[in-house]
């Protein structure tokens, strides 16, 4: 491991939403990570961060940076995902209307996380929370 970054994500705080993923992106830029890898990590970390802000009662966003890969882990406390298969469908959203009116909650978060990661794993327990683990290879 080269570096580990960990951020506590506040639920419902749209003023701070995106800060953690921006800090991850800036760190990777400073480390000289290739633009195509940087783009993928920026997308998955932003989507994960926004899901914590929108759907949970708080959580952690972590990036573990090593020479050959970047691991992004999002762990939240919250209602969990009732139907993961349905939640993985583009356009499906459980975000409340007021969140959608702000331009969030379009139902692309989980599909984008899967699309832009080289490895994607999700585990969710109703009433406890959700953990998403992603790997982007630095090749």
């Amino acid at each position: 491991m080269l570096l580990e970054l960990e951020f506590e994500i506040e639920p419902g705080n749209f003023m701070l939403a995106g800060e953690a993923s921006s800090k991850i992106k800036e760190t990777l830029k400073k480390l000289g990570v290739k633009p195509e890898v940087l783009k993928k990590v920026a997308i998955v970390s932003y989507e994960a961060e926004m899901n914590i802000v929108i759907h949970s009662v708080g959580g952690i966003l972590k990036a573990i940076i090593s020479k050959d890969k970047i691991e992004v882990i999002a762990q939240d406390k919250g209602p969990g995902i009732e139907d993961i298969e349905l939640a993985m469908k583009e356009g499906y959203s459980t975000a409340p209307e007021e969140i959608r009116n702000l331009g969030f909650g379009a139902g692309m978060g989980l599909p984008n996380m899967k699309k832009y990661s080289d490895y994607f794993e999700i585990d969710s327990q109703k009433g406890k929370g959700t953990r998403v683990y992603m790997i982007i290879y630095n090749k």
Side-chain angles (χ1 to χ4, degrees):
M1 179 183 66
L2 184 61
L3 182 63
E4 184 174 316
L5 304 170
E6 184 171 308
F7 304 92
E8 191 159 330
I9 308 301
E10 284 185 46
N13 190 338
F14 290 93
M15 295 299 288
L16 293 177
E19 276 195 12
S21 50
S22 289
K23 288 177 182 172
I24 292 169
K25 181 181 175 183
E26 288 306 311
T27 301
L28 293 174
K29 256 189 202 176
K30 287 177 186 170
L31 292 172
V33 171
K34 295 177 197 157
E36 59 271 16
V37 174
L38 189 64
K39 176 185 172 187
K40 290 167 84 174
V41 174
I43 291 169
V44 304
S45 60
Y46 177 78
E47 295 287 13
E49 183 176 2
M50 293 310 297
N51 273 5
I52 294 171
V53 170
I54 293 168
H55 299 288
S56 79
V57 295
I60 300 290
L61 182 66
K62 186 187 293 189
I64 302 168
I65 304 160
S66 57
K67 186 176 175 144
D68 62 337
K69 66 185 175 186
I70 295 104
E71 297 165 87
V72 178
I73 302 152
Q75 174 76 53
D76 74 33
K77 298 175 253 30
I81 300 171
E82 207 161 310
D83 186 337
I84 291 175
E85 191 177 327
L86 184 58
M88 292 302 299
K89 292 189 175 171
E90 289 186 13
Y92 176 78
S93 178
T94 59
E97 189 175 337
E98 63 268 15
I99 301 298
R100 283 190 235 148
N101 289 339
L102 293 172
F104 302 105
M108 293 303 295
L110 288 172
N112 277 341
M113 284 184 246
K114 185 173 184 178
K115 178 180 180 179
Y116 289 100
S117 39
D118 297 311
Y119 176 82
F120 176 87
E121 179 182 289
I122 184 168
D123 180 50
S124 191
Q125 294 181 1
K126 196 168 189 236
K128 292 194 176 184
T130 301
R131 180 181 185 271
V132 181
Y133 175 73
M134 297 161 282
I135 299 174
I136 294 89
Y137 291 106
N138 191 15
K139 47 188 171 190

